[in-house]
Amino acid sequence: MEKTKAEIVYSEDIHEINSPRFMDWGVHLICNGGDAMFLFNGKPVTIQKNDAAVINHPELVTHINASEDLQIRFIAAPFKFLYNLLPANHYGIIGHISLFTNPVIPLDYEDALRFNNDIEQLRLRSGDRHHLFYDELIGSIALTMIYDLFDFHAKIHRDISPSERTADIVKRLLALLESGRAKRYREVSYYAGELNVSPKYLSETVKRITGNSVMNLIDKYAVPVLIDFLNNSNLSLTQISDEMNFSSLSYFSRYVSKHLGMSPTAYRKING
């Protein structure tokens, strides 16, 4: 597995979580007071005191609004660096999918203290760049944080216990979606074929483990691509339809209306 250098950024400004510099990074946040709301992949998310948030796609965060007494701390690091740290127990795969649906993990007082300590240790040691084993040092502290997040998440989702095979199916599906396949392929049968399972098996497995349908996961990756294309005034609707492999312009229009609540033409008039 390719090694990624340890890069850590610490901040207490919530308006920095969707900074362009964090593209393909992960943000791990704790709220210590006040409250804030933002949209994540178009859906409203609220955080308040003792809430943790794990945001693996911070570029999907928009419309941040915070109370005057908001107190947050977050650590940001490259997603590849964090992913390479994940242990082989498969819980991270399921947690990744679950947190993409809802990035907030409510914590009790003791767990909030523990997560604050994880963030503080990363903040303090991120300055030790003279350390001869800096990457390994930061990696070990970040792994402690990840295990703690597994623990926090598992306390809420105690029924998540995927087998080796089912976890592998979900992991491989997620890898396909992360690679950008949803831009052109949005049928369950396509992903079932790529994974050498039946559409029924894939649908039942994903639903049982993640609580989401396969189509729901596909759309979560396809819709942001669709929005980016619609926001690009240099592309015609026909070009977008072709680029995203829709069978017809009318089918493309129906897909946009279903997921954005309006026709592609209406969307461009409002957001142009």
Side-chain angles (χ1 to χ4, degrees), residues 123-141:
R123 184 188 73 84
L124 290 173
R125 301 311 300 269
S126 64
D128 291 348
R129 294 190 174 274
H130 61 280
H131 199 292
L132 296 179
F133 301 93
Y134 178 77
D135 289 352
E136 291 78 7
L137 171 69
I138 295 301
S140 67
I141 301 173

Side-chain angles (χ1 to χ4, degrees), residues 226-237:
L226 173 67
I227 291 174
D228 283 345
F229 279 146
L230 286 172
N231 289 337
N232 184 348
S233 60
N234 293 322
L235 294 175
S236 70
L237 297 182

Side-chain angles (χ1 to χ4, degrees), residues 192-232:
E194 290 293 296
L195 298 171
N196 295 313
V197 298
S198 71
K200 181 180 179 181
Y201 178 84
L202 179 61
S203 296
E204 290 178 349
T205 299
V206 170
K207 183 67 174 179
R208 184 173 67 254
I209 294 177
T210 71
N212 286 281
S213 68
V214 179
M215 280 306 307
N216 182 258
L217 294 178
I218 294 171
D219 289 338
K220 285 182 182 297
Y221 284 85
V223 172
V225 175
L226 173 67
I227 291 174
D228 283 345
F229 279 146
L230 286 172
N231 289 337
N232 184 348

